[in-house]
Amino acid sequence: MTTTYVKKFDGNTAALGRTLVLFGGTSSEREVSLRSGAAVLQALQAGGVDAHGLDVQADAIAKIEAFAPDRVFIALHGPGGEDGKMQAVLDWLAIPYTGSDHAASALAMDKLKTKQVWQSVGLVTPEYASLAENSDWQAVLDSLGGQGFVKPAHEGSSIGMSVVSTAQELKAAYEKAAHYDAKVLVERRIVGREFTVAVLNGVALPAIGLKTDHVFYDYDAKYVSNTTQYLCPCGLTQEKEAELQSIAQQAFAAVGCKGWGRVDFMQDEAGNFYLLEVNTVPGMTDHSLVPMAARQSGIEFNELVLEILAQTLV
């Protein structure tokens, strides 16, 4: 597996026309999206692109129509921006946009359905169960080996997630996650190392290993903590990293994603990889992982943003 990335953008910013960066929104990931959008907008303007920003609110569609952009850079995270809704609007308006289409975005946003797709093509993801108010908490936990990882099905940035090892903890974690989403799942907890692989224009970039002193790589570890370690090179052998990159590309394609994104993994103590989720609009902040992986491939942040936007020219 090669991690060599050949830049696609030829430097002709005039061909990009007027670009609108969408960020903010109303999801629980709004603050992260505001930071991503600001960084993307600054990079585009620094690169000579006629770029403008829009904080997406209830009147977003009218404002997009009035602005009449030639293309859109989507920097929205979470429901309303990463789940296919905005992509469908832009398809209807015939405006090219960055990243995956509405169908792939909607599928990837649903962690439960994504796991089912991966399982259908033979890709490995942790065993899981759907949760409800009347779940038999102990029976569910026992079926998953005694430890679980509870997640809202449609949230990102580790929002609403918990690690559990008792029936009481599982019930409390369900109630916490249900505050964010009507659909909640619990996975068997994989104890081991965490990795992420960015995919850019069909190329799997160098993997990043994640190390945190938190119980898991939670919201604080991602966006606030200064103790989280990002390992790139990731510490895997060349063969194991190639295996990880190959799985990432297969998982990305199975969901129908395109353009750019990020696939997250756990590796157990025996060295086996387990797919966790795919992100179709990953963060683009100073703590974000796709820019780190791109930098390892010789692509600086401003160049990365132009590479992503240039996908809309195809």
Side-chain angles (χ1 to χ4, degrees):
M1 172 72 62
T2 177
T3 58
T4 301
Y5 181 82
V6 179
K7 296 174 185 175
K8 305 293 193 296
F9 182 52
D10 62 7
N12 182 13
T13 55
L16 296 170
R18 290 192 352 134
T19 296
L20 188 60
V21 180
L22 301 182
F23 53 80
T26 58
S27 81
S28 57
E29 296 184 72
R30 172 177 170 78
E31 292 305 315
V32 180
S33 178
L34 288 171
R35 291 163 58 191
S36 289
V40 167
L41 182 59
Q42 182 179 33
L44 290 175
Q45 292 174 340
V49 178
D50 181 14
H52 307 260
L54 175 63
D55 184 353
V56 172
Q57 299 296 317
D59 59 351
I61 296 177
K63 287 188 174 180
I64 292 170
E65 287 187 286
F67 186 82
D70 294 300
R71 63 205 70 255
V72 164
F73 194 116
I74 299 177
L76 290 161
H77 308 315
E82 198 172 354
D83 57 358
K85 293 185 178 69
M86 182 56 69
Q87 290 80 0
V89 167
L90 294 172
D91 281 337
W92 181 258
L93 296 175
I95 299 172
Y97 54 87
T98 55
S100 298
D101 66 15
H102 68 280
S105 298
L107 176 56
M109 195 69 195
D110 189 320
K111 295 179 179 66
L112 179 60
K113 292 190 182 302
T114 297
K115 288 168 73 69
Q116 292 168 341
V117 167
W118 283 336
Q119 288 177 322
S120 75
V121 295
L123 295 172
V124 180
T125 184
E127 298 96 323
Y128 65 92
S130 296
L131 296 177
E133 289 183 7
N134 61 349
S135 291
D136 184 331
W137 310 111
Q138 189 61 57
V140 169
L141 200 58
D142 290 345
S143 73
L144 298 175
Q147 292 190 74
F149 205 98
V150 178
K151 304 178 177 182
H154 300 92
E155 287 289 343
S157 294
S158 297
I159 290 170
M161 295 185 181
S162 305
V163 172
V164 300
S165 57
T166 69
Q168 292 77 14
E169 289 176 349
L170 179 56
K171 182 176 186 295
Y174 163 76
E175 291 169 352
K176 172 184 173 182
H179 175 74
Y180 296 97
D181 196 336
K183 186 185 291 187
V184 177
L185 68 149
V186 56
E187 294 178 332
R188 177 169 68 88
R189 186 185 182 194
I190 306 299
V191 177
R193 304 166 69 188
E194 186 162 0
F195 296 93
T196 190
V197 177
V199 178
L200 179 63
N201 282 326
V203 177
L205 301 183
I208 297 175
L210 310 171
K211 293 183 71 173
T212 176
D213 53 7
H214 295 213
V215 176
F216 66 97
Y217 187 50
D218 59 13
Y219 185 95
D220 185 79
K222 290 180 176 180
Y223 301 114
V224 180
S225 175
N226 290 318
T227 63
T228 302
Q229 297 179 53
Y230 303 97
L231 308 179
C232 194
C234 66
L236 292 170
T237 65
Q238 184 175 348
E239 292 75 17
K240 290 300 285 186
E241 183 170 7
E243 177 187 346
L244 187 65
Q245 291 171 307
S246 176
I247 297 170
Q249 288 179 310
Q250 293 174 62
F252 198 72
V255 178
C257 298
K258 66 176 184 178
W260 74 300
R262 200 189 75 231
V263 185
D264 297 339
F265 295 84
M266 289 297 299
Q267 182 189 37
D268 67 15
E269 294 171 343
N272 303 305
F273 294 119
Y274 295 82
L275 285 158
L276 298 180
E277 62 182 285
V278 59
N279 301 270
T280 56
V281 187
M284 291 290 277
T285 72
D286 55 356
H287 274 61
S288 295
L289 301 172
V290 174
M292 291 182 197
R295 193 173 301 114
Q296 188 70 13
S297 294
I299 308 167
E300 294 303 320
F301 185 84
N302 288 15
E303 296 175 305
L304 171 63
V305 172
L306 287 169
E307 284 292 301
I308 294 170
L309 182 60
Q311 296 164 357
T312 61
L313 293 169
V314 177

